[in-house]
Amino acid sequence: MAPLICDGVLDAWRSFLTAHARLTEAVDQRLTGAGCVSLGTFDVLLSVHEACDHRSRMHELADHVVLSRSGLTRLVDRLEADGLLRRERCPNDRRGAFAVLTDDGERALQAAWPVYAAAVRELFGGAFGQGDDDARRF
Amino acid sequence: MAPLICDGVLDAWRSFLTAHARLTEAVDQRLTGAGCVSLGTFDVLLSVHEACDHRSRMHELADHVVLSRSGLTRLVDRLEADGLLRRERCPNDRRGAFAVLTDDGERALQAAWPVYAAAVRELFGGAFGQGDDDARRF
DNA sequence: AATAAATAGTTGCGCCCGCAACGACAAACC
DNA sequence: GGTTTGTCGTTGCGGGCGCAACTATTTATT
C-alpha cells in the first residue's frame, strides 16, 4: 500500500501537532523551572489581567482559554486555594461569578511574564523566520 | 499599566495555542462522530502503520506521538484490549517490545483515514491560504 | 569476567480534564 | 403572573496523562 500521508496540508498538520506538544512542554518547563506558575495557570492569570477591571466571568474565561466550564471551575478552585485568584459575586446576574486577580496573582503574573516572553520568543519565534525578533517592544 | 501583550510573536503564539485546542477538538469530534477511533488513537495507529514492517518499538512510538513512556504503555494497553494493536517480543533486545497493528487495527485506520483527511483539509487547511487545496493527491 | 552505568518498558500515585446531571437563576413566552 | 426554556457555575464520575520508582536487560568500564 502506498503511504497514507502524501499531502502538503496533512504534513503541515502533523508538524503542527508535534510542534504544539513540544513547544508547550518546553515553555512550561522554562516557567516552572524558574519557580514561576505553570503555563496553564499563566494563561488564566493573563486572561483575567487583560479583561475589563482585571476581572472575568467564568464562562468568558473558559472560552478564552479553551477549557470546559467544569475544567475551569477546578482550575479556579486551585488558583483560589493558592491565593492567586478570588471569586466575586456578580451583582447583575446572581448566577454568575467573576474571577479576580489578587495581589499575589498580579505579582505571580508579573514575575512569570519575562520568563514567558523570553521562552516564547526563543522557542516559538525562533522556530519561524524570526522576522519579528527585532520588533520587541516589551 | 500597559497591556502585557504587544508583540507580533506573542500574538502569534496565543493564536497558535487556541488554534491547536479548537482544531484538535474539532477533528476529534469529526472522527468519533463518524464512529471512528479518537484522534489520539488514530495518531498511534498511523505511526505504527508507517513504521517498518508495520511495527514500532514502544519508545520510538512514544517519541513520535510525543507521549511519555508510561502514557504510551497505558494507551497501548487500551488499544490492545480493543484488539487494534498487539505487543510482540523483540528478538534482538529482550527488554523491548513492538507494537504491531492487528487486522482490526488496520481496518480501523483505513476507515478513519478519509474522515481524518477531510477534516484536516477543511478545518486546518481552510484556516490558511488554502493554496494547497487543489494539490490533493489522495 | 566482574562490576557499573545506561536503557526498555511497566506500575503506583496523584493531577487534571470532559461529560452528564444538578440547582439556582434569568429570559422568553402565553 | 405563571410557566417554559435557556444559561451560569458546580459536582460526581471516570478517563488519560506525567513523574518517580522498579525490574529486567543491555552496554560500557576496568
Side-chain angles (χ1 to χ4, degrees):
Chain A
M1 205 188 83
L4 288 171
I5 295 278
C6 55
D7 185 297
V9 175
L10 297 177
D11 285 347
W13 167 251
R14 299 199 69 181
S15 301
F16 179 76
L17 290 184
T18 62
H20 173 269
R22 298 198 191 283
L23 286 172
T24 53
E25 187 182 351
V27 171
D28 191 68
Q29 284 181 357
R30 291 279 188 102
L31 282 170
T32 56
C36 299
V37 296
S38 70
L39 179 55
T41 295
F42 182 83
D43 282 344
V44 170
L45 296 184
L46 184 56
S47 282
V48 175
H49 177 88
E50 288 175 336
C52 221
D53 286 333
H54 290 200
R55 73 189 52 220
S56 174
R57 287 290 294 266
M58 296 290 283
H59 66 279
E60 292 171 340
L61 196 48
D63 283 355
H64 200 256
V65 300
V66 195
L67 222 60
S68 70
R69 279 158 164 52
S70 60
L72 185 76
T73 292
R74 319 288 182 147
L75 182 45
V76 170
D77 284 346
R78 294 192 296 273
L79 298 183
E80 199 169 23
D82 291 343
L84 304 178
L85 235 53
R86 65 186 148 81
R87 285 176 168 87
E88 277 188 13
R89 306 277 306 167
C90 178
N92 304 334
D93 187 339
R94 287 196 294 182
R95 295 169 301 180
F98 286 106
V100 189
L101 274 181
T102 63
D103 291 347
D104 278 358
E106 186 71 32
R107 276 189 285 271
L109 179 60
Q110 298 294 338
W113 168 254
V115 180
Y116 172 82
V120 171
R121 287 203 187 90
E122 180 184 334
L123 299 167
F124 177 71
F128 291 79
Q130 86 243 44
D132 286 25
D133 261 19
D134 50 347
R136 298 177 190 179
R137 28 184 205 274
F138 167 55
Chain B
M1 202 188 85
L4 287 171
I5 295 278
C6 54
D7 183 297
V9 174
L10 297 177
D11 285 347
W13 167 252
R14 300 198 68 182
S15 301
F16 179 76
L17 290 184
T18 62
H20 173 268
R22 298 199 191 283
L23 285 173
T24 53
E25 186 183 352
V27 170
D28 191 68
Q29 284 181 357
R30 291 278 188 101
L31 281 170
T32 56
C36 298
V37 295
S38 71
L39 180 54
T41 295
F42 182 83
D43 282 343
V44 170
L45 297 184
L46 184 56
S47 282
V48 176
H49 178 88
E50 288 176 335
C52 221
D53 286 333
H54 290 201
R55 72 190 51 220
S56 174
R57 286 291 294 265
M58 295 292 283
H59 67 278
E60 292 171 340
L61 197 48
D63 283 356
H64 200 256
V65 300
V66 194
L67 223 60
S68 70
R69 281 157 163 53
S70 60
L72 185 76
T73 292
R74 319 289 182 145
L75 181 46
V76 170
D77 284 346
R78 294 192 296 274
L79 298 183
E80 199 169 23
D82 291 343
L84 304 178
L85 234 53
R86 65 187 148 82
R87 284 177 169 87
E88 277 189 14
R89 307 276 309 166
C90 176
N92 304 334
D93 188 339
R94 286 194 296 180
R95 296 169 302 181
F98 285 106
V100 189
L101 274 182
T102 63
D103 291 346
D104 278 359
E106 186 71 32
R107 276 189 285 271
L109 179 61
Q110 298 295 338
W113 169 253
V115 179
Y116 173 82
V120 170
R121 288 203 186 89
E122 180 184 333
L123 299 167
F124 177 72
F128 290 78
Q130 85 243 44
D132 286 24
D133 261 19
D134 51 348
R136 297 178 191 178
R137 26 183 205 275
F138 167 56

